Amino acid sequence: MEELVPVVCPWCSVGCRLYIVSVNGHPRKIEWDYDHPNTPNRGKLCPKGVASYQFTISPDRLKKPLIKRNGKFEEVSWEEAIRYVAQKFKEIIEEDGPEALAFLGSERCSLEDNYVLQKLARALGTNNVEFAGRLCQSSNFVARSKVFGSPAQTNPFDDIVKSKVILVWGYNPAETNPVLFGQYFEKALDNGAKMIVVDPIKTKTAKFADIHLQPYPGTDLAVALAMLNHIIKNELYDKKFVEERTDNFEELAKSVEEYTPEWAEKVSGVPAEMIKRAAELLATGGNATIVLNEGVNQHANGTMTALAIANLIAITGNIGKEGVFSGVIPGAHCGLCAAVPGVNCAQLPGPVPLNEENAKKFSELWGFDVPRKPGLHYQAIFKAMAEGKVKGIFIMGQNPARSLANSSLIEEALEKAFVVVSDIFPTETTKFADVILPAASWYEKTGTVITQNRRVMRSFKAIKPPGEAKPDWEILVMLARELGVGEYFNYSSVDDILREINRAIPALKGATPERLNSNLEGCFYPCPDEESETPRLFLKGFPTKTGRAQLTPVKWVQPGEVPDEEYPLWLTNFRQVGHFHTGTMSMRSKSLIKRWPESFLMINPEDAKALGIRDGDRVRVETRRGSLVVRAMVTDRIRKGVVAMPWHWGVNFLTKDDAIDEFSKMPELKAVACRVTKEVVE
Ligand SMILES: Nc1nc2c(c(=O)[nH]1)N[C@H]1C(S)=C(S)[C@@H](COP(=O)(O)OP(=O)(O)OC[C@H]3O[C@@H](n4cnc5c(=O)[nH]c(N)nc54)[C@H](O)[C@@H]3O)O[C@H]1N2
Ligand SMILES: Nc1nc2c(c(=O)[nH]1)N[C@H]1C(S)=C(S)[C@@H](COP(=O)(O)OP(=O)(O)OC[C@H]3O[C@@H](n4cnc5c(=O)[nH]c(N)nc54)[C@H](O)[C@@H]3O)O[C@H]1N2
Ligand code: SF4
Ligand SMILES: [Mo]
């Protein structure tokens, strides 16, 4: 039987809709969805969207539960696997308490899967529950929560097209959110908008820029402080907005007096004149879209830079009205599906802070006592594991052996604990597992997604899972029952879970199964009842104590590691349009791996010449943690003094685990000091 099933793309968070055409549960092709003009993509897809389901039919899919015995994985029944995990977890709880357990949720799994995961952790008594959002948006999340009272994206994508200026900071949407870039950013440029890009690399996005600033990695804070300085000193800020809708302007103005563009030039390598031009365009060019992403977030000073940029947004009055745009950009398609239900060591579903009042509320709703003590953040869970303090971990849809900083250290930690992984493929992390549980992939289950633009939508089961693979929420419910907490997990469908979420999270009260199943365009979160939704935020005020934006003075801080004589070059990393994260799925998608086959190192012609390196040479890239050998790409698209590689192929063997942002707990994933040598082939 041929079916046409509406789904949401399983890669980035733009939330593109498409159809899968399947015959008897097997995928045959995709169809573009032009039927729903209010969805973010309006029918369009990028190369990953087009390659959508290729990974689902890979022969490598996990099909049966596996238990490691004498160093070898053996196929077992679901009953045996779940019983074994439950028994081990019970032993750990009895001997060391529930805090010796940790749970990882996933931005590749649905709202329902993630809600159940965090609830299970809490039912067992631990708040050690995290996901890759910590490595992704945490810095901007903290900064915007402080300044605007909420991290959320403020306006619908259509407002980008109405902007006159676009500032893109440490973000390459032409590769990482291609449909967003093509459908909205490029249309704004076609309408005459001017674009400023801040990136050490001349990326696909930067090719469209009117002004391109190329700082050394991790020195963006200096550039942002100098822009604040120039705008305030020359009184180019929005006086009415500052007067009516912000607090602390005088303190902010005083705090940036010392950070002149000339000072910033010395720190960041960006000419003072260009910083001034960018500041003037931003302040006087009209309504602006101001977006930042991993080039800002993933630094030990990431929160500080994100705060400085939030101050820039506020003093130029580019928030709380139509025709502007800013906010956190959740990474993978379900980033918000893990953040909103509180897959976080210090937040409960909402997300709301883990405090006495909220813990009490959820204890009443759930019927068990929610643990009060905050858990460990992502990188700290692995540190505690290496120290023997976290003894068991349930990893749902994460590949920390490659996605966290300093992979060697993470592998050592995984070696020590009882590790359970639910995934759709064998990964670098499953190598260290004691039990592997085969999960149904995104197209093999029905689930709710919240896109980066806060649109809540349903994706439907389009194909049959392979072998005995099951949706994650079902796996978790089986485990909960075996652990003796089944009474709190009385769900027989995703709709049951969503109905509980409707009760648990007021902003999702109106996103009911009935509404989402019948209306494929979904609704903008917050949707407090079935009739309402919220496309624009902060039109009247900010959810801060005074209702006004809280301008926040920031001081210059260095990134975690800077070049020196031994390691003289800056190394950073980026994404390619054809690959996703650690590549477990994209490297098993035929059309993607064919076109984007391997890693490489971008190096400026001057640096290459000084090191005797020619285009195509094999080179060794070495940091204080480890080294990788890749092909050199000699190109003036990267600035002198900086080298860069895609992070999909093991870059975290080179990154630093102990430079962590004080406020967001983000490890320094983007900037490290390195040396590069030509690899001599014998
Ligand atoms: N194709 C593809 N798309 C994706 C993903 C993917 O893996 N592949 N992942 C998704 C996820 S989870 C996320 S979070 C987003 C991330 O989306 P992006 O933030 O766009 O991703 P990156 O390419 O990692 O980083 C953006 C840019 O930061 C620059 N950069 C590096 N260091 C610095 C610095 O110190 N300062 C500045 N100003 N720039 C710097 C890089 O050169 C790069 O161009 O993409 C999402 N979309
Ligand atoms: N150096 C450096 N490090 C980085 C970054 C960087 O830019 N530079 N970026 C960071 C960012 S922004 C992010 S978001 C993280 C991402 O870090 P991770 O989330 O750990 O990376 P993924 O490769 O997406 O791992 C997701 C896993 O989920 C599996 N999976 C997919 N679908 C399902 C499903 O339905 N169920 C289950 N159970 N499993 C599933 C996939 O096969 C894969 O193994 O990495 C971070 N690490
Ligand atoms: S832009 Fe993102 S959501 Fe849209 S098709 Fe590409 S990967 Fe999928
Ligand atoms: Mo991310």
Side-chain angles (χ1 to χ4, degrees):
M1 197 185 60
E2 187 172 290
E3 276 188 295
L4 182 78
V5 183
V7 294
V8 175
C9 177
W11 304 99
C12 87
S13 61
V14 175
C16 296
R17 263 211 178 280
L18 66 147
Y19 294 106
I20 301 282
V21 180
S22 64
V23 176
N24 299 331
H26 300 286
R28 288 286 180 267
K29 59 177 180 178
I30 61 148
E31 285 284 356
W32 282 255
D33 172 8
Y34 290 98
D35 304 333
H36 300 98
N38 292 323
T39 51
N41 57 320
R42 294 174 182 147
K44 304 287 190 298
L45 295 172
C46 82
K48 280 190 308 307
V50 174
S52 254
Y53 68 76
Q54 289 176 9
F55 68 87
T56 67
I57 52 177
S58 156
D60 298 351
R61 285 292 301 276
L62 293 167
K63 300 182 187 78
K64 290 267 290 177
L66 304 168
I67 292 182
K68 196 187 265 166
R69 290 195 181 113
N70 305 320
K72 275 204 160 148
F73 285 110
E74 288 174 19
E75 289 188 355
V76 296
S77 67
W78 271 107
E79 291 68 34
E80 186 178 352
I82 295 291
R83 215 180 312 124
Y84 182 58
V85 174
Q87 183 206 328
K88 283 281 182 187
F89 278 11
K90 278 188 202 158
E91 279 169 24
I92 291 170
I93 294 174
E94 267 163 36
E95 278 169 32
D96 298 277
E99 282 155 23
L101 283 182
F103 287 77
L104 299 180
S106 175
E107 53 176 27
R108 318 303 294 275
C109 292
S110 70
L111 178 69
E112 291 86 352
D113 294 332
N114 279 296
Y115 178 83
V116 175
L117 176 111
Q118 61 79 33
K119 188 175 163 187
L120 177 58
R122 284 161 174 146
L124 295 177
T126 179
N127 283 310
N128 290 338
V129 51
E130 286 271 296
F131 82 106
R134 181 70 68 194
L135 316 172
C136 183
Q137 298 305 320
S138 55
S139 304
N140 202 21
F141 188 104
V142 172
R144 291 185 66 100
S145 301
K146 171 104 179 72
V147 176
F148 304 123
S150 153
Q153 267 188 5
T154 57
N155 290 53
F157 287 153
D158 281 323
D159 281 14
I160 296 172
V161 184
K162 298 174 192 161
S163 300
K164 297 289 168 228
V165 180
I166 299 180
L167 169 56
V168 181
W169 208 311
Y171 176 28
N172 183 15
E175 298 228 32
T176 55
N177 294 141
V179 171
L180 172 64
F181 189 75
Q183 291 300 295
Y184 302 92
F185 285 65
E186 280 192 55
K187 285 198 178 135
L189 299 176
D190 289 345
N191 287 346
K194 297 269 181 278
M195 184 159 76
I196 306 162
V197 171
V198 191
D199 198 306
I201 300 176
K202 187 166 179 190
T203 58
K204 281 197 180 135
T205 305
K207 283 185 184 160
F208 290 81
D210 296 277
I211 301 177
H212 180 199
L213 311 181
Q214 291 182 276
Y216 293 122
T219 65
D220 300 81
L221 177 55
V223 178
L225 289 169
M227 284 172 75
L228 286 166
N229 168 296
H230 190 68
I231 291 170
I232 294 174
K233 198 165 88 193
N234 294 287
E235 297 195 20
L236 301 175
Y237 55 91
D238 184 335
K239 296 196 183 77
K240 187 161 178 280
F241 188 90
V242 166
E243 171 70 29
E244 289 172 3
R245 299 200 56 186
T246 72
D247 289 325
N248 308 330
F249 180 73
E250 292 310 318
E251 285 128 82
L252 176 72
K254 211 165 165 345
S255 73
V256 295
E257 270 169 13
E258 61 185 298
Y259 301 123
T260 61
E262 289 71 24
W263 163 82
E265 174 171 343
K266 280 188 216 129
V267 179
S268 67
V270 182
E273 279 316 306
M274 286 185 72
I275 298 177
K276 289 182 195 169
R277 264 179 58 210
E280 286 161 22
L281 175 59
L282 179 67
T284 63
N287 280 353
T289 286
I290 303 175
V291 277
L292 67 86
N293 212 344
E294 300 310 359
V296 173
N297 276 311
Q298 291 174 337
H299 290 290
N301 62 7
T303 302
M304 291 293 131
T305 312
L307 273 171
I309 296 172
N311 289 330
L312 270 174
I313 293 170
I315 67 161
T316 55
N318 280 306
I319 192 163
K321 61 183 179 189
E322 198 180 326
V324 298
F325 184 93
S326 64
V328 296
I329 302 168
H333 75 302
C334 274
L336 279 174
C337 309
V340 169
V343 180
N344 184 298
C345 66
Q347 286 169 1
L348 290 169
V352 292
L354 170 73
N355 56 27
E356 185 52 34
E357 190 192 337
N358 292 326
K360 233 168 132 184
K361 198 185 104 190
F362 279 97
S363 301
E364 272 162 34
L365 179 80
W366 287 336
F368 57 81
D369 214 26
V370 170
R372 303 314 204 246
K373 192 175 155 207
L376 299 168
H377 64 81
Y378 208 145
Q379 196 88 29
I381 288 176
F382 285 83
K383 190 160 181 266
M385 207 186 280
E387 290 163 357
K389 291 181 192 147
V390 165
K391 297 216 157 114
I393 187 163
F394 188 98
I395 302 177
M396 172 178 87
Q398 297 275 272
N399 192 6
R402 289 297 174 275
S403 53
L404 278 175
N406 196 349
S407 303
S408 311
L409 207 93
I410 303 302
E411 293 191 350
E412 273 168 40
L414 285 165
E415 193 83 74
K416 291 199 175 149
F418 176 70
V419 177
V420 184
V421 184
S422 85
D423 205 297
I424 61 173
F425 285 119
T427 67
E428 291 84 357
T429 302
T430 60
K431 279 185 199 152
F432 298 89
D434 296 280
V435 182
I436 305 178
L437 305 172
S441 78
W442 181 247
Y443 289 148
E444 295 155 0
K445 61 188 178 192
T446 293
T448 304
V449 20
I450 310 177
T451 71
Q452 63 158 282
N453 205 213
R454 296 185 281 109
R455 199 179 270 281
V456 192
M457 295 194 290
R458 262 273 159 100
S459 183
F460 297 90
K461 178 175 174 178
I463 48 186
K464 268 197 224 144
E468 296 177 15
K470 285 183 192 297
D472 288 283
W473 69 266
E474 285 188 36
I475 300 174
L476 292 163
V477 169
M478 286 192 297
L479 180 59
R481 290 190 181 137
E482 196 62 39
L483 279 162
V485 291
E487 62 185 296
Y488 311 117
F489 297 83
N490 233 335
Y491 314 118
S492 52
S493 69
V494 271
D495 285 359
D496 287 350
I497 305 169
L498 184 56
R499 280 194 198 97
E500 182 174 316
I501 295 173
N502 296 151
R503 290 196 299 277
I505 302 175
L508 283 175
K509 192 169 168 213
T512 58
E514 291 70 26
R515 185 181 195 179
L516 301 184
N517 291 344
S518 61
N519 166 16
L520 293 185
E521 295 178 353
C523 52
F524 282 109
Y525 162 99
C527 28
D529 59 59
E530 278 198 273
E531 273 69 53
S532 64
E533 57 176 348
T534 322
R536 284 191 189 84
L537 294 176
F538 318 141
L539 294 179
K540 296 210 175 76
F542 296 98
T544 56
K545 270 199 185 126
T546 60
R548 293 142 67 93
Q550 300 301 300
L551 299 176
T552 306
V554 179
K555 280 202 170 324
W556 162 248
V557 258
Q558 292 235 65
E561 192 178 65
V562 295
D564 53 24
E565 265 179 27
E566 234 183 314
Y567 296 91
L569 291 167
W570 296 89
L571 169 66
T572 186
N573 55 78
F574 57 86
R575 290 162 161 78
Q576 290 183 287
V577 64
H579 282 301
F580 211 83
H581 297 168
T582 64
T584 61
M585 291 151 68
S586 55
M587 291 177 196
R588 290 182 174 99
S589 302
K590 274 189 189 158
S591 63
L592 301 178
I593 193 67
K594 200 167 159 204
R595 205 164 139 200
W596 290 273
E598 61 167 353
S599 188
F600 54 90
L601 181 83
M602 293 176 83
I603 182 165
N604 181 278
E606 281 186 52
D607 289 328
K609 197 169 168 216
L611 294 166
I613 291 166
R614 279 181 311 191
D615 192 53
D617 281 351
R618 307 291 294 170
V619 291
R620 182 171 292 275
V621 190
E622 199 178 346
T623 72
R624 288 189 173 81
R625 269 72 52 194
S627 75
L628 294 173
V629 176
V630 292
R631 188 172 51 80
M633 178 198 277
V634 179
T635 169
D636 57 12
R637 283 175 48 219
I638 188 152
R639 64 157 305 152
K640 188 170 172 284
V642 184
V643 292
M645 54 211 294
W647 79 271
H648 312 296
W649 286 272
V651 156
N652 283 319
F653 279 103
L654 309 180
T655 51
K656 190 166 158 64
D657 56 287
D658 54 356
I660 292 187
D661 186 294
E662 186 186 339
F663 306 97
S664 63
K665 308 299 178 194
M666 166 74 81
E668 182 104 70
L669 291 168
K670 278 281 189 270
V672 279
C674 79
R675 63 177 169 232
V676 178
T677 46
K678 190 169 159 170
E679 186 74 350
V680 185
V681 188
E682 296 293 320

